[in-house]
């Protein structure tokens, strides 16, 4: 009797276990049309230490997966699946680990069918011509860069060879070299306009005054008068006068000596002449350059 009771208990347990497997896979439909979606649900009769599979399907694609849900001590995972090629495809058995023990789901068959099209009801439209795409900056940028570079080169060429050259020519000073006498008179007039001695710049005034006179002698007689001392300049002119190579007088040479000596006193001995003396020295300077000329060379002298 006990033996029959044990067999009945084992049979009930086996039937109960077969009706409630640890893992189970279900699909809501086994037939879809191309592009349609359906749900795959994997259920596990446990919520602790469960590792669900990462689906790898052939011919079918996983669109999305829902958040894992628990219901009545059961863990549920849903996947959204679709197919884009007609045919029969298997969802293979999936490994689910529960408390480090592997369980397999059933494999499921899904048929993907094409969509029948009634061509008699399809409205036909004329074939349109190819529409050109609108132009963008990228279509022309290489030409724009080439144009900018060409304009830069042309602009540089025009500036360097035309504008710059013309500017240099315009900036080049054009002047006429004045004869020694005219230059000396011009510089004396410039010196008067500076009003140096009137502004207590007597030393500067005499320096410029004697430099004008020495410069005239150097240019007119072709001698280094600017580099010589007062005595050397006076002795040189006396020798020229005795040799009759210049046209001047002893009075002119005397005025020159007195003017140069007065300037030396002002520059080195800090002498301060009176206004009347300064004005007289200015007149003497004009008399000196007016009465000190080289003697013209006669043709007979040149032949000799």
């Amino acid at each position: 009797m006990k033996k029959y009771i044990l067999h009945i208990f084992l049979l009930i347990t086996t039937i109960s276990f077969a009706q409630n497997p640890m893992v189970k896979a279900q699909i809501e439909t086994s037939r879809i049309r191309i592009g349609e979606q359906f749900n795959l649900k994997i259920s596990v009769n446990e919520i602790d230490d469960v590792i669900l599979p990462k689906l790898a399907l052939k011919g079918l694609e996983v669109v999305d997966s829902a958040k894992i849900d628990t219901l009545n001590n059961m863990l549920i995972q849903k996947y959204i699946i679709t197919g884009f090629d007609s045919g029969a495809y298997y969802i293979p058995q999936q490994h689910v680990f529960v408390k480090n023990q592997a369980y397999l789901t059933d494999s499921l068959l899904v048929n993907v069918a094409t969509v029948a099209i009634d061509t008699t009801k399809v409205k036909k439209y004329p074939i349109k011509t190819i529409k050109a795409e609108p132009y963008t900056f990228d279509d022309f940028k290489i030409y724009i860069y080439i144009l900018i570079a060409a304009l830069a080169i042309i602009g540089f060429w025009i500036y360097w060879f035309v504008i710059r050259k013309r500017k240099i020519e315009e900036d080049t000073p054009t002047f006429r070299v004045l004869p020694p006498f005219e230059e000396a008179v011009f510089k004396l007039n410039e010196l008067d306009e500076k009003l140096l001695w009137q502004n207590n710049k007597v030393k500067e005034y005499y320096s410029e005054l004697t430099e004008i006179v020495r410069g005239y002698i150097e240019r007119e007689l072709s001698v280094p008068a600017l580099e010589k001392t007062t005595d050397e300049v006076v002795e040189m002119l006396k020798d020229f006068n005795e040799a009759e190579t210049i046209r001047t007088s002893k009075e002119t040479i005397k005025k020159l000596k007195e003017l140069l000596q007065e300037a030396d006193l002002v520059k080195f001995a800090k002498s301060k002449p009176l206004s009347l003396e300064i004005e007289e020295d200015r007149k003497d300077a004009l008399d000196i350059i007016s009465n000190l000329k080289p003697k013209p060379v006669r043709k007979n002298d040149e032949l000799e």
Side-chain angles (χ1 to χ4, degrees), residues 5-18:
I5 293 173
L6 179 61
H7 281 295
I8 292 171
F9 176 77
L10 291 175
L11 179 61
I12 294 171
T13 303
T14 303
I15 293 172
S16 176
F17 180 80

Side-chain angles (χ1 to χ4, degrees), residues 28-179:
E28 58 186 0
T29 180
S30 62
R31 290 180 177 276
I32 64 170
R33 290 179 293 182
I34 291 176
E36 284 185 337
Q37 299 178 355
F38 65 94
N39 290 328
L40 166 65
K41 181 174 73 173
I42 296 178
S43 305
V44 183
N45 286 321
E46 182 61 62
I47 60 174
D48 297 326
D49 298 330
V50 177
I51 300 176
L52 295 173
K54 183 176 182 181
L55 294 185
L57 307 177
K58 290 184 180 181
L60 300 174
E61 294 184 15
V62 178
V63 178
D64 197 5
S65 59
K67 185 178 180 181
I68 298 174
D69 193 13
T70 56
L71 181 65
N72 298 327
N73 203 34
M74 180 183 293
L75 189 145
I76 300 172
Q77 172 71 69
K78 291 182 179 181
Y79 301 90
I80 301 174
I81 301 174
T82 187
F84 297 101
D85 292 320
S86 61
Y89 303 98
Y90 275 101
I91 298 176
Q93 291 178 314
Q94 303 296 317
H95 286 80
V96 179
F97 290 89
V98 180
K99 296 182 179 180
N100 296 326
Q101 184 174 351
Y103 295 88
L104 290 175
T105 65
D106 296 330
S107 61
L108 304 171
L109 178 66
V110 178
N111 289 290
V112 181
T114 57
V115 179
I117 300 175
D118 188 356
T119 56
T120 60
K121 295 181 180 181
V122 175
K123 187 176 180 180
K124 297 181 180 179
Y125 295 92
I127 299 175
K128 294 183 179 180
T129 58
I130 299 175
K131 186 178 180 181
E133 293 185 1
Y135 291 111
T136 63
F137 174 77
D138 291 338
D139 296 326
F140 301 99
K141 65 180 181 180
I142 183 64
Y143 303 105
I144 294 174
Y145 294 153
I146 293 174
L147 179 61
I148 293 173
L151 291 176
I153 293 172
I154 294 172
F156 175 80
W157 185 90
I158 293 173
Y159 168 78
W160 188 263
F161 293 101
V162 180
I163 299 176
R164 177 177 168 273
K165 185 177 180 181
R166 184 182 300 169
K167 185 177 180 181
I168 292 174
E169 292 176 353
E170 291 176 354
D171 293 343
T172 302
T174 55
F175 55 87
R176 180 176 64 88
V177 178
L178 297 174

Side-chain angles (χ1 to χ4, degrees), residues 178 180-194 208-209 211-213 215-216 219 282:
L178 297 174
F181 178 75
E182 293 182 14
E183 181 186 31
V185 172
F186 178 79
K187 289 183 176 180
L188 287 174
N189 292 331
E190 280 189 330
L191 179 61
D192 293 339
E193 293 176 357
K194 292 180 180 180
E208 291 194 28
L209 182 65
E211 185 176 348
I212 292 171
V213 176
Y216 166 78
R219 284 197 61 199
R282 166 64 176 81

Side-chain angles (χ1 to χ4, degrees), residues 254-304:
K254 181 181 177 183
K255 286 183 179 181
L256 174 63
K257 181 179 181 179
E258 291 174 351
L259 175 62
L260 296 179
Q261 287 178 341
E262 181 68 27
D264 290 340
L265 290 174
V266 172
K267 289 187 289 183
F268 303 112
K270 297 183 179 180
S271 174
K272 294 183 179 180
L274 300 175
S275 299
L276 292 176
E277 294 175 334
I278 296 174
E279 292 176 352
E280 189 65 28
D281 288 336
R282 166 64 176 81
K283 293 178 182 179
D284 289 344
L286 181 60
D287 290 339
I288 292 168
I289 63 175
S290 300
N291 297 299
L292 187 59
K293 306 288 183 182
K295 189 175 182 180
V297 179
R298 295 176 297 178
K299 293 184 178 181
N300 293 335
D301 296 337
E302 291 179 353
L303 294 175
E304 293 177 358

